[in-house]
Amino acid sequence: MEQIPILKLGNILLVSIQVEMHDQLALQLQDDLTIKLAKSQARGVLIDISALEIVDSFIGRSLAHIAGIARVMDATTVLVGMRPAVAITLVELGMTLTGIRTALNVEKGMELLRASMDEAEDFPSMS
Amino acid sequence: MEQIPILKLGNILLVSIQVEMHDQLALQLQDDLTIKLAKSQARGVLIDISALEIVDSFIGRSLAHIAGIARVMDATTVLVGMRPAVAITLVELGMTLTGIRTALNVEKGMELLRASMDEAEDFPSMS
């Protein structure tokens, strides 16, 4: 079965989406990521969509879902590698990807995640 | 056009292969990687094939080619995420991937690359 691999890099999970995200694949990715987040105790999720030429409202919603799941599992999601044409289309579709942070490329995304993790450590939770 | 993304992580280039590598795509990846190696001055290439269920002799040869190109451009290639079934098939095909270093997953591959870079720094070239 087709499956999007999730790569673990320290406490960050890297997902590079290269294939058209149909219904089943998006659900599978949600499941896989949830399991991997719990198992690896990762604090950040980096989703690279530089290979995608088209991001429709379904994919946009799926990404927002994934970010929502990650958030309740105490992980920050950063979306990287969005093509200019994709950005234009998303805004035209009225999708502003609220709740998802973005960065230009994987390297900048990593920096953003590390910075947000450091911040979280500076202000520990009351637990 | 279909294209395998190459992600830059510090001085390491990460390639996650998720689609069947046909002729044209393998050549494209070689070209892209050569250009990116020259531009980014990366010292390591990490190729993740955890999404591949089948690795035939053509893909094996392509990977060996890429590792060869990286080597003459002063970068080490590490292949990670090979499935057990793929490993069995490769050996049955008589392909031992000479010249390519392997690791179980991306994290271990990164460690291997970093270790080999540190080694290279300990013994600088005569230039």
Side-chain angles (χ1 to χ4, degrees), chain A residues 88-103:
Chain A
I88 294 169
T89 317
L90 279 182
V91 173
E92 276 173 358
L93 285 170
M95 304 205 64
T96 46
L97 297 177
T98 337
I100 304 186
R101 302 175 82 166
T102 51

mmCIF file with all atom_site columns, all heavy atoms in Angstrom, chain A residues 88-103:
data_model
loop_
_atom_site.group_PDB
_atom_site.id
_atom_site.type_symbol
_atom_site.label_atom_id
_atom_site.label_alt_id
_atom_site.label_comp_id
_atom_site.label_asym_id
_atom_site.label_entity_id
_atom_site.label_seq_id
_atom_site.pdbx_PDB_ins_code
_atom_site.Cartn_x
_atom_site.Cartn_y
_atom_site.Cartn_z
_atom_site.occupancy
_atom_site.B_iso_or_equiv
_atom_site.pdbx_formal_charge
_atom_site.auth_seq_id
_atom_site.auth_comp_id
_atom_site.auth_asym_id
_atom_site.auth_atom_id
_atom_site.pdbx_PDB_model_num
ATOM 1   N N   . ILE A 1 88  ? -0.606  31.419 -4.186 1.00 0.00 ? 88  ILE A N   1
ATOM 2   C CA  . ILE A 1 88  ? -1.611  32.261 -4.850 1.00 0.00 ? 88  ILE A CA  1
ATOM 3   C C   . ILE A 1 88  ? -2.955  31.534 -4.899 1.00 0.00 ? 88  ILE A C   1
ATOM 4   O O   . ILE A 1 88  ? -3.995  32.078 -4.526 1.00 0.00 ? 88  ILE A O   1
ATOM 5   C CB  . ILE A 1 88  ? -1.139  32.634 -6.282 1.00 0.00 ? 88  ILE A CB  1
ATOM 6   C CG1 . ILE A 1 88  ? 0.096   33.540 -6.193 1.00 0.00 ? 88  ILE A CG1 1
ATOM 7   C CG2 . ILE A 1 88  ? -2.259  33.314 -7.062 1.00 0.00 ? 88  ILE A CG2 1
ATOM 8   C CD1 . ILE A 1 88  ? 0.796   33.757 -7.523 1.00 0.00 ? 88  ILE A CD1 1
ATOM 9   N N   . THR A 1 89  ? -2.911  30.261 -5.328 1.00 0.00 ? 89  THR A N   1
ATOM 10  C CA  . THR A 1 89  ? -4.147  29.481 -5.436 1.00 0.00 ? 89  THR A CA  1
ATOM 11  C C   . THR A 1 89  ? -4.841  29.349 -4.084 1.00 0.00 ? 89  THR A C   1
ATOM 12  O O   . THR A 1 89  ? -6.061  29.505 -3.986 1.00 0.00 ? 89  THR A O   1
ATOM 13  C CB  . THR A 1 89  ? -3.861  28.065 -5.979 1.00 0.00 ? 89  THR A CB  1
ATOM 14  O OG1 . THR A 1 89  ? -2.928  28.170 -7.044 1.00 0.00 ? 89  THR A OG1 1
ATOM 15  C CG2 . THR A 1 89  ? -5.122  27.406 -6.467 1.00 0.00 ? 89  THR A CG2 1
ATOM 16  N N   . LEU A 1 90  ? -4.053  29.058 -3.027 1.00 0.00 ? 90  LEU A N   1
ATOM 17  C CA  . LEU A 1 90  ? -4.647  28.869 -1.702 1.00 0.00 ? 90  LEU A CA  1
ATOM 18  C C   . LEU A 1 90  ? -5.387  30.122 -1.251 1.00 0.00 ? 90  LEU A C   1
ATOM 19  O O   . LEU A 1 90  ? -6.505  30.042 -0.736 1.00 0.00 ? 90  LEU A O   1
ATOM 20  C CB  . LEU A 1 90  ? -3.563  28.505 -0.679 1.00 0.00 ? 90  LEU A CB  1
ATOM 21  C CG  . LEU A 1 90  ? -3.126  27.045 -0.659 1.00 0.00 ? 90  LEU A CG  1
ATOM 22  C CD1 . LEU A 1 90  ? -2.090  26.832 0.425  1.00 0.00 ? 90  LEU A CD1 1
ATOM 23  C CD2 . LEU A 1 90  ? -4.321  26.114 -0.431 1.00 0.00 ? 90  LEU A CD2 1
ATOM 24  N N   . VAL A 1 91  ? -4.765  31.267 -1.463 1.00 0.00 ? 91  VAL A N   1
ATOM 25  C CA  . VAL A 1 91  ? -5.399  32.520 -1.037 1.00 0.00 ? 91  VAL A CA  1
ATOM 26  C C   . VAL A 1 91  ? -6.650  32.771 -1.872 1.00 0.00 ? 91  VAL A C   1
ATOM 27  O O   . VAL A 1 91  ? -7.689  33.196 -1.361 1.00 0.00 ? 91  VAL A O   1
ATOM 28  C CB  . VAL A 1 91  ? -4.403  33.695 -1.118 1.00 0.00 ? 91  VAL A CB  1
ATOM 29  C CG1 . VAL A 1 91  ? -5.108  35.009 -0.840 1.00 0.00 ? 91  VAL A CG1 1
ATOM 30  C CG2 . VAL A 1 91  ? -3.267  33.482 -0.121 1.00 0.00 ? 91  VAL A CG2 1
ATOM 31  N N   . GLU A 1 92  ? -6.553  32.449 -3.176 1.00 0.00 ? 92  GLU A N   1
ATOM 32  C CA  . GLU A 1 92  ? -7.723  32.628 -4.050 1.00 0.00 ? 92  GLU A CA  1
ATOM 33  C C   . GLU A 1 92  ? -8.871  31.709 -3.626 1.00 0.00 ? 92  GLU A C   1
ATOM 34  O O   . GLU A 1 92  ? -10.032 32.052 -3.771 1.00 0.00 ? 92  GLU A O   1
ATOM 35  C CB  . GLU A 1 92  ? -7.338  32.355 -5.510 1.00 0.00 ? 92  GLU A CB  1
ATOM 36  C CG  . GLU A 1 92  ? -6.717  33.594 -6.171 1.00 0.00 ? 92  GLU A CG  1
ATOM 37  C CD  . GLU A 1 92  ? -6.176  33.316 -7.558 1.00 0.00 ? 92  GLU A CD  1
ATOM 38  O OE1 . GLU A 1 92  ? -6.241  32.163 -8.004 1.00 0.00 ? 92  GLU A OE1 1
ATOM 39  O OE2 . GLU A 1 92  ? -5.658  34.266 -8.172 1.00 0.00 ? 92  GLU A OE2 1
ATOM 40  N N   . LEU A 1 93  ? -8.515  30.539 -3.112 1.00 0.00 ? 93  LEU A N   1
ATOM 41  C CA  . LEU A 1 93  ? -9.542  29.601 -2.627 1.00 0.00 ? 93  LEU A CA  1
ATOM 42  C C   . LEU A 1 93  ? -10.103 30.047 -1.280 1.00 0.00 ? 93  LEU A C   1
ATOM 43  O O   . LEU A 1 93  ? -11.016 29.425 -0.744 1.00 0.00 ? 93  LEU A O   1
ATOM 44  C CB  . LEU A 1 93  ? -8.955  28.189 -2.462 1.00 0.00 ? 93  LEU A CB  1
ATOM 45  C CG  . LEU A 1 93  ? -8.696  27.342 -3.709 1.00 0.00 ? 93  LEU A CG  1
ATOM 46  C CD1 . LEU A 1 93  ? -7.901  26.101 -3.351 1.00 0.00 ? 93  LEU A CD1 1
ATOM 47  C CD2 . LEU A 1 93  ? -10.005 26.951 -4.378 1.00 0.00 ? 93  LEU A CD2 1
ATOM 48  N N   . GLY A 1 94  ? -9.482  31.075 -0.703 1.00 0.00 ? 94  GLY A N   1
ATOM 49  C CA  . GLY A 1 94  ? -9.946  31.562 0.589  1.00 0.00 ? 94  GLY A CA  1
ATOM 50  C C   . GLY A 1 94  ? -9.375  30.778 1.754  1.00 0.00 ? 94  GLY A C   1
ATOM 51  O O   . GLY A 1 94  ? -9.843  30.884 2.879  1.00 0.00 ? 94  GLY A O   1
ATOM 52  N N   . MET A 1 95  ? -8.330  29.949 1.473  1.00 0.00 ? 95  MET A N   1
ATOM 53  C CA  . MET A 1 95  ? -7.714  29.166 2.545  1.00 0.00 ? 95  MET A CA  1
ATOM 54  C C   . MET A 1 95  ? -6.465  29.882 3.038  1.00 0.00 ? 95  MET A C   1
ATOM 55  O O   . MET A 1 95  ? -5.510  30.059 2.291  1.00 0.00 ? 95  MET A O   1
ATOM 56  C CB  . MET A 1 95  ? -7.304  27.793 2.033  1.00 0.00 ? 95  MET A CB  1
ATOM 57  C CG  . MET A 1 95  ? -8.447  27.025 1.431  1.00 0.00 ? 95  MET A CG  1
ATOM 58  S SD  . MET A 1 95  ? -8.130  25.262 1.527  1.00 0.00 ? 95  MET A SD  1
ATOM 59  C CE  . MET A 1 95  ? -8.088  24.988 3.282  1.00 0.00 ? 95  MET A CE  1
ATOM 60  N N   . THR A 1 96  ? -6.480  30.293 4.286  1.00 0.00 ? 96  THR A N   1
ATOM 61  C CA  . THR A 1 96  ? -5.303  31.004 4.775  1.00 0.00 ? 96  THR A CA  1
ATOM 62  C C   . THR A 1 96  ? -4.469  30.126 5.708  1.00 0.00 ? 96  THR A C   1
ATOM 63  O O   . THR A 1 96  ? -3.502  30.575 6.292  1.00 0.00 ? 96  THR A O   1
ATOM 64  C CB  . THR A 1 96  ? -5.722  32.287 5.499  1.00 0.00 ? 96  THR A CB  1
ATOM 65  O OG1 . THR A 1 96  ? -6.803  31.967 6.368  1.00 0.00 ? 96  THR A OG1 1
ATOM 66  C CG2 . THR A 1 96  ? -6.173  33.338 4.505  1.00 0.00 ? 96  THR A CG2 1
ATOM 67  N N   . LEU A 1 97  ? -4.860  28.847 5.811  1.00 0.00 ? 97  LEU A N   1
ATOM 68  C CA  . LEU A 1 97  ? -4.118  27.885 6.643  1.00 0.00 ? 97  LEU A CA  1
ATOM 69  C C   . LEU A 1 97  ? -3.901  28.404 8.063  1.00 0.00 ? 97  LEU A C   1
ATOM 70  O O   . LEU A 1 97  ? -2.790  28.380 8.584  1.00 0.00 ? 97  LEU A O   1
ATOM 71  C CB  . LEU A 1 97  ? -2.769  27.540 6.000  1.00 0.00 ? 97  LEU A CB  1
ATOM 72  C CG  . LEU A 1 97  ? -2.814  26.835 4.643  1.00 0.00 ? 97  LEU A CG  1
ATOM 73  C CD1 . LEU A 1 97  ? -1.408  26.633 4.108  1.00 0.00 ? 97  LEU A CD1 1
ATOM 74  C CD2 . LEU A 1 97  ? -3.513  25.490 4.753  1.00 0.00 ? 97  LEU A CD2 1
ATOM 75  N N   . THR A 1 98  ? -4.970  28.892 8.659  1.00 0.00 ? 98  THR A N   1
ATOM 76  C CA  . THR A 1 98  ? -4.877  29.412 10.026 1.00 0.00 ? 98  THR A CA  1
ATOM 77  C C   . THR A 1 98  ? -4.371  28.315 10.958 1.00 0.00 ? 98  THR A C   1
ATOM 78  O O   . THR A 1 98  ? -4.800  27.164 10.850 1.00 0.00 ? 98  THR A O   1
ATOM 79  C CB  . THR A 1 98  ? -6.273  29.858 10.524 1.00 0.00 ? 98  THR A CB  1
ATOM 80  O OG1 . THR A 1 98  ? -7.089  30.146 9.400  1.00 0.00 ? 98  THR A OG1 1
ATOM 81  C CG2 . THR A 1 98  ? -6.170  31.070 11.414 1.00 0.00 ? 98  THR A CG2 1
ATOM 82  N N   . GLY A 1 99  ? -3.471  28.673 11.832 1.00 0.00 ? 99  GLY A N   1
ATOM 83  C CA  . GLY A 1 99  ? -2.980  27.704 12.810 1.00 0.00 ? 99  GLY A CA  1
ATOM 84  C C   . GLY A 1 99  ? -1.784  26.918 12.326 1.00 0.00 ? 99  GLY A C   1
ATOM 85  O O   . GLY A 1 99  ? -1.208  26.144 13.079 1.00 0.00 ? 99  GLY A O   1
ATOM 86  N N   . ILE A 1 100 ? -1.415  27.084 11.061 1.00 0.00 ? 100 ILE A N   1
ATOM 87  C CA  . ILE A 1 100 ? -0.213  26.413 10.566 1.00 0.00 ? 100 ILE A CA  1
ATOM 88  C C   . ILE A 1 100 ? 0.867   27.463 10.334 1.00 0.00 ? 100 ILE A C   1
ATOM 89  O O   . ILE A 1 100 ? 0.618   28.455 9.657  1.00 0.00 ? 100 ILE A O   1
ATOM 90  C CB  . ILE A 1 100 ? -0.463  25.668 9.240  1.00 0.00 ? 100 ILE A CB  1
ATOM 91  C CG1 . ILE A 1 100 ? -1.608  24.674 9.376  1.00 0.00 ? 100 ILE A CG1 1
ATOM 92  C CG2 . ILE A 1 100 ? 0.803   24.949 8.782  1.00 0.00 ? 100 ILE A CG2 1
ATOM 93  C CD1 . ILE A 1 100 ? -1.793  23.808 8.147  1.00 0.00 ? 100 ILE A CD1 1
ATOM 94  N N   . ARG A 1 101 ? 2.024   27.246 10.917 1.00 0.00 ? 101 ARG A N   1
ATOM 95  C CA  . ARG A 1 101 ? 3.131   28.159 10.649 1.00 0.00 ? 101 ARG A CA  1
ATOM 96  C C   . ARG A 1 101 ? 3.827   27.715 9.377  1.00 0.00 ? 101 ARG A C   1
ATOM 97  O O   . ARG A 1 101 ? 3.839   26.530 9.032  1.00 0.00 ? 101 ARG A O   1
ATOM 98  C CB  . ARG A 1 101 ? 4.108   28.151 11.823 1.00 0.00 ? 101 ARG A CB  1
ATOM 99  C CG  . ARG A 1 101 ? 3.401   28.538 13.106 1.00 0.00 ? 101 ARG A CG  1
ATOM 100 C CD  . ARG A 1 101 ? 4.296   28.417 14.283 1.00 0.00 ? 101 ARG A CD  1
ATOM 101 N NE  . ARG A 1 101 ? 5.143   29.584 14.437 1.00 0.00 ? 101 ARG A NE  1
ATOM 102 C CZ  . ARG A 1 101 ? 5.828   29.831 15.550 1.00 0.00 ? 101 ARG A CZ  1
ATOM 103 N NH1 . ARG A 1 101 ? 5.780   28.995 16.562 1.00 0.00 ? 101 ARG A NH1 1
ATOM 104 N NH2 . ARG A 1 101 ? 6.571   30.904 15.649 1.00 0.00 ? 101 ARG A NH2 1
ATOM 105 N N   . THR A 1 102 ? 4.388   28.657 8.653  1.00 0.00 ? 102 THR A N   1
ATOM 106 C CA  . THR A 1 102 ? 5.060   28.313 7.404  1.00 0.00 ? 102 THR A CA  1
ATOM 107 C C   . THR A 1 102 ? 6.468   28.876 7.386  1.00 0.00 ? 102 THR A C   1
ATOM 108 O O   . THR A 1 102 ? 6.791   29.821 8.110  1.00 0.00 ? 102 THR A O   1
ATOM 109 C CB  . THR A 1 102 ? 4.291   28.882 6.185  1.00 0.00 ? 102 THR A CB  1
ATOM 110 O OG1 . THR A 1 102 ? 4.059   30.268 6.415  1.00 0.00 ? 102 THR A OG1 1
ATOM 111 C CG2 . THR A 1 102 ? 2.978   28.183 5.982  1.00 0.00 ? 102 THR A CG2 1
ATOM 112 N N   . ALA A 1 103 ? 7.320   28.259 6.563  1.00 0.00 ? 103 ALA A N   1
ATOM 113 C CA  . ALA A 1 103 ? 8.676   28.749 6.352  1.00 0.00 ? 103 ALA A CA  1
ATOM 114 C C   . ALA A 1 103 ? 9.041   28.454 4.907  1.00 0.00 ? 103 ALA A C   1
ATOM 115 O O   . ALA A 1 103 ? 8.421   27.611 4.253  1.00 0.00 ? 103 ALA A O   1
ATOM 116 C CB  . ALA A 1 103 ? 9.647   28.070 7.307  1.00 0.00 ? 103 ALA A CB  1
#
